[in-house]
Amino acid sequence: MIICKRLLYLIQSDTSKMCTIAPRGKSSKMNLEMEFEKLQTSNSKSLLKKYLTPEIFHKLKDQKTQMGSTLMDCIQSGLVNHDSGVGIYAADADAYTTFADLFDPIIDDYHKGFSKNKVHPAKDFGDYKKLGNLDPEGKYIKSTRVRCGRSIQGYPFNPRMTVEHYKEIEDEVSKTLTSLEGEFKGCYYPLTGMAKQVQEQLINDHFLFKEGDRFLQAANACRFWPTGRGIYFNNDKTFLIWCNEEDHLRIISMQQGGDLGDVYRRLVTGVNEIEKKITFSHDNRLGFLTFCPTNLGTTIRASVHIKVPKLASEQQKLYNVADKYNLQVRGTTGEHTDAVDGIYDISNKRRLGLTEFQAVKEMYDGITEIIKIEKDL
Ligand code: ADP
Ligand code: DAR
């Protein structure tokens, strides 16, 4: 694994703020039946509660995938966090098949009509030249980002990964990325040994992922932290890769301003380069497989950091418009955060059942409408 020289002088082994999570096996000490009863009698609005009926529970509770993943491995986060929106993650690629009786209705519900007989379309990045700059005058959009997730074929997902799995994936990913050329040329920075102030600055600048939130911690997605976790980025920090955060890889293109066409061009080119060297986990029906079912299919989230003060003067008005255009509104520092200084993270909500280009185009059209509404208010 190649550690970038310029960080060597910053290296300090500060592991005080490690992501705390029970060692593997603690959650399996959770009594599955008891936790299921508690969820059933709670006022949770999660999709897990909605679709894990007693019949489905008793049918699946003793099932295991070929890699040994259990129902508990998949639902432990939703059992602990009753305020989950979804409440389930796949412990490995097979979990989507072994526990299909539970995953299928949740996937259908979240992705607004992806029934178990529906098939995700073949990968199609389309023509980036059909997208342009959403805000050429620079009045509303601070920055634009497009990301996708990828799992490496043959490896389990977080709850079933060993520390060796994390290290092997980090080695394969860092070796592959340090062979990139041109605008993608850059360095891999492991979280292990990264100085806290460097890590915090990268997080504050929206480049690096935060340490696992309670949903990921309860999903056993933070074990052995920070081992095997890290970030790659090019010299301009416009092409970045997260290693072993929520997914094995998150591939990200981002830049200041609203030129979605250029951001998308860079992402597509970068993903195609990486896919020449690493085999990704892909399913004929569900598309690219990810840890969380909300990211299946294209796994694409195209977002802008945008200020629309008139529309956002009544937050519900902004949310209503976003719903109309299948957009999701997040806070300034990402999921489960609030807007700071009126800057919202608005992105496409749909990732499954449409092509990569259609997902990004849906965001393009929605943001175009939002800016038009803001101008007319
Ligand atoms: P993801 O689903 O990609 O993991 P998160 O909501 O976890 O997204 O956000 C990850 C990081 O990316 C956060 O720091 C967030 O502020 C940042 N981010 C998301 N969209 C943009 C954007 N358009 N411009 C700048 N940073 C962004
Ligand atoms: N908070 C969890 C996950 C929702 C989707 N976000 C991801 N995958 N980062 C929930 O069930 O609400």
Side-chain angles (χ1 to χ4, degrees):
M1 176 178 56
I2 294 129
I3 292 184
C4 185
K5 298 264 178 306
R6 54 186 135 151
L7 272 181
L8 280 180
Y9 69 93
L10 280 174
I11 276 181
Q12 65 186 20
S13 55
D14 170 7
T15 54
S16 58
K17 253 192 73 205
M18 286 175 72
C19 173
T20 48
I21 186 68
R24 171 142 191 79
K26 176 98 166 59
S27 64
S28 59
K29 295 229 175 8
M30 270 176 22
N31 180 300
L32 184 58
E33 281 77 1
M34 192 172 72
E35 296 303 325
F36 172 61
E37 293 300 322
K38 278 190 216 166
L39 179 67
Q40 274 210 304
T41 54
S42 76
N43 60 2
S44 172
K45 304 278 186 296
S46 71
L47 295 180
L48 175 67
K49 182 186 176 188
K50 184 175 176 182
Y51 293 102
L52 186 59
T53 62
E55 296 73 24
I56 297 291
F57 177 75
H58 289 291
K59 180 177 178 185
L60 300 180
K61 68 183 179 66
D62 300 317
Q63 300 296 317
K64 281 191 178 180
T65 68
Q66 288 169 4
M67 287 188 173
S69 297
T70 64
L71 180 65
M72 174 65 100
D73 287 327
C74 297
I75 68 173
Q76 56 198 334
S77 182
L79 292 177
V80 170
N81 297 294
H82 290 175
D83 60 338
S84 296
V86 180
I88 187 171
Y89 297 89
D92 64 42
D94 271 356
Y96 286 111
T97 307
T98 305
F99 304 110
D101 287 329
L102 178 55
F103 272 109
D104 284 349
I106 288 176
I107 288 166
D108 187 11
D109 191 319
Y110 180 87
H111 292 282
K112 303 284 178 264
F114 192 84
S115 71
K116 64 181 183 182
N117 303 314
K118 200 160 176 188
V119 176
H120 180 71
K123 182 177 73 177
D124 180 359
F125 286 119
D127 179 1
Y128 72 86
K129 292 189 284 299
K130 289 184 179 165
L131 305 166
N133 191 326
L134 284 159
D135 179 20
E137 295 164 4
K139 289 176 68 177
Y140 304 97
I141 296 175
K142 185 167 176 295
S143 51
T144 301
R145 175 180 185 267
V146 183
R147 66 82 164 156
C148 65
R150 289 291 185 272
S151 303
I152 300 181
Q153 193 161 350
Y155 283 95
F157 301 162
N158 288 304
R160 301 297 298 184
M161 284 171 68
T162 63
V163 67
E164 287 75 24
H165 286 146
Y166 283 104
K167 289 177 181 172
E168 285 168 22
I169 287 175
E170 183 178 47
D171 279 349
E172 182 177 359
V173 167
S174 58
K175 281 197 184 73
T176 298
L177 297 175
T178 40
S179 68
L180 294 176
E181 292 299 330
E183 71 172 305
F184 303 101
K185 190 169 181 53
C187 266
Y188 178 76
Y189 306 89
L191 242 55
T192 303
M194 185 185 284
K196 266 292 168 252
Q197 69 267 30
V198 172
Q199 187 180 348
E200 281 163 6
Q201 189 61 55
L202 286 169
I203 292 171
N204 293 341
D205 292 343
H206 307 291
F207 296 126
L208 179 62
F209 48 82
K210 298 185 279 284
E211 299 196 19
D213 61 28
R214 60 189 164 91
F215 301 98
L216 291 172
Q217 289 191 28
N220 263 346
C222 301
R223 290 171 301 128
F224 320 116
W225 196 278
T227 300
R229 280 75 174 195
I231 183 170
Y232 172 94
F233 49 76
N234 64 357
N235 299 331
D236 296 335
K237 294 200 185 85
T238 53
F239 183 72
L240 310 94
I241 314 274
W242 294 350
C243 182
N244 286 325
E245 183 240 1
E246 176 175 328
D247 288 306
H248 296 156
L249 286 90
R250 284 288 174 89
I251 305 168
I252 301 160
S253 172
M254 62 194 290
Q255 66 192 48
Q256 296 303 302
D259 191 347
L260 178 60
D262 193 38
V263 173
Y264 185 57
R265 171 201 59 80
R266 186 184 304 113
L267 180 89
V268 172
T269 311
V271 170
N272 286 336
E273 277 309 302
I274 296 168
E275 284 191 322
K276 288 175 187 168
K277 302 176 181 181
I278 299 179
T279 306
F280 292 121
S281 192
H282 184 273
D283 178 84
N284 289 333
R285 189 175 89 79
L286 295 173
F288 287 103
L289 298 181
T290 52
F291 181 42
C292 181
T294 64
N295 285 313
L296 287 167
T298 66
T299 77
I300 290 252
R301 190 169 90 85
S303 62
V304 287
H305 271 187
I306 188 169
K307 267 192 163 184
V308 280
K310 287 183 239 170
L311 189 53
S313 60
E314 295 154 50
Q315 201 170 65
Q316 196 48 53
K317 202 169 19 169
L318 174 61
Y319 280 77
N320 292 344
V321 171
D323 283 348
K324 184 179 171 192
Y325 295 102
N326 286 326
L327 298 176
Q328 183 183 33
V329 179
R330 297 185 183 188
T332 313
T333 55
E335 190 179 29
H336 307 310
T337 70
D338 297 322
V340 175
D341 296 337
I343 296 174
Y344 288 90
D345 165 339
I346 306 181
S347 59
N348 60 296
K349 188 167 185 178
R350 298 201 318 154
R351 295 188 237 295
L352 178 67
L354 70 179
T355 66
E356 284 75 5
F357 182 78
Q358 287 169 337
V360 177
K361 184 69 167 54
E362 199 158 70
M363 173 271 207
Y364 184 87
D365 294 342
I367 298 298
T368 300
E369 279 303 311
I370 281 185
I371 290 175
K372 184 174 177 301
I373 293 167
E374 177 71 9
K375 280 180 178 170
D376 293 347
L377 283 175

